[in-house]
Amino acid sequence: MNKKQLQSEQTKRRVADAARALFVNKGYKATSIEDISEATGSSKGNIYYHFKSKEGLFLYLLDEWEQEWEVKWQENVSHYKTVTDKLYGFAKQMVLDDLNHPLSKAASEFFNHDEKPGDVEERIIEMVQGHLKFNQDLLQQGIDNGEFKAENIECLAIILESLVIGLSHMSRQLKLQNAIQLYQQAIKIYLYGIANPPH
């Protein structure tokens, strides 16, 4: 990397860090490119050079968050003996690293914000597809090793993702331990249902 590229990367990092702090403190909608420009001393043109839009900048931060999540998952996954254990571990990590993430409130605003450019919508679809692929791979392991019945894996993956998204909206006000218990109870119901077996 030459000196100019290095300076460009440093500027990009400085903008991303400042934007992250603003999104955390002010929220997604209330943070403007002007705020980010003021916080970094970078011109709006310079910010747009690195990130095409405010949405593009936020997606960059979400990508970093996803990468951090993946690193933590890889660190923990070897401790789980079964896929069932992995699902409970997944639930716990969703609480510890997603529900409590500094950007979680801003992310909720971002995803519920109506107007998004086409390229941003495409990127969001890609992220969701990535989540579904993760779920499918995990569930397929359970089917392959005989833990789970061979059901329609695409449906199971969507149900799991929907469960997690719903829980994230419903448990923001809960204490950490209560949120973990709720998520793990949801995984238990997902795995075993609530109906008594017929007599």
Side-chain angles (χ1 to χ4, degrees), residues 4-158:
K4 192 175 179 186
Q5 288 171 320
L6 183 62
Q7 285 175 329
S8 179
E9 276 304 307
Q10 286 170 340
T11 301
K12 187 175 184 178
R13 182 74 263 152
R14 195 170 72 247
V15 169
D17 289 344
R20 186 179 191 275
L22 285 164
F23 287 134
V24 168
N25 292 320
K26 293 180 70 171
Y28 177 74
K29 285 183 193 171
T31 299
S32 66
I33 290 291
E34 286 82 1
D35 294 331
I36 298 163
S37 173
E38 205 173 292
T40 57
S42 293
S43 69
K44 283 162 69 175
N46 200 358
I47 293 168
Y48 286 128
Y49 171 77
H50 293 288
F51 306 98
K52 279 175 30 179
S53 60
K54 183 173 108 168
E55 291 93 344
L57 174 44
F58 198 75
L59 279 172
Y60 177 83
L61 296 172
L62 290 181
D63 278 339
E64 289 193 327
W65 178 2
E66 295 241 314
Q67 286 163 23
E68 288 162 17
W69 196 97
E70 182 62 32
V71 167
K72 284 189 181 168
W73 176 255
Q74 292 305 329
E75 285 169 1
N76 292 327
V77 75
S78 61
H79 302 304
Y80 306 127
K81 291 184 174 69
T82 65
V83 181
T84 299
D85 291 342
K86 285 179 188 178
L87 280 170
Y88 284 114
F90 166 72
K92 188 173 182 180
Q93 186 169 324
M94 291 303 292
V95 175
L96 297 177
D97 291 343
D98 280 28
L99 203 60
N100 280 331
H101 195 280
L103 278 173
S104 63
K105 282 184 184 167
S108 198
E109 267 188 89
F110 173 77
F111 287 115
N112 294 317
H113 193 56
D114 294 334
E115 296 167 34
K116 292 185 187 70
D119 59 330
V120 172
E121 287 287 3
E122 278 175 33
R123 185 66 197 96
I124 291 169
I125 290 166
E126 274 176 37
M127 287 173 82
V128 172
Q129 292 302 328
H131 294 177
L132 293 176
K133 172 85 167 62
F134 176 90
N135 295 352
Q136 284 182 25
D137 290 347
L138 198 53
L139 294 164
Q140 190 63 54
Q141 288 173 31
I143 290 169
D144 291 346
N145 70 14
E147 278 181 73
F148 308 149
K149 288 185 281 189
E151 300 276 357
N152 181 323
I153 198 132
E154 286 85 3
C155 287
L156 291 178
I158 291 169

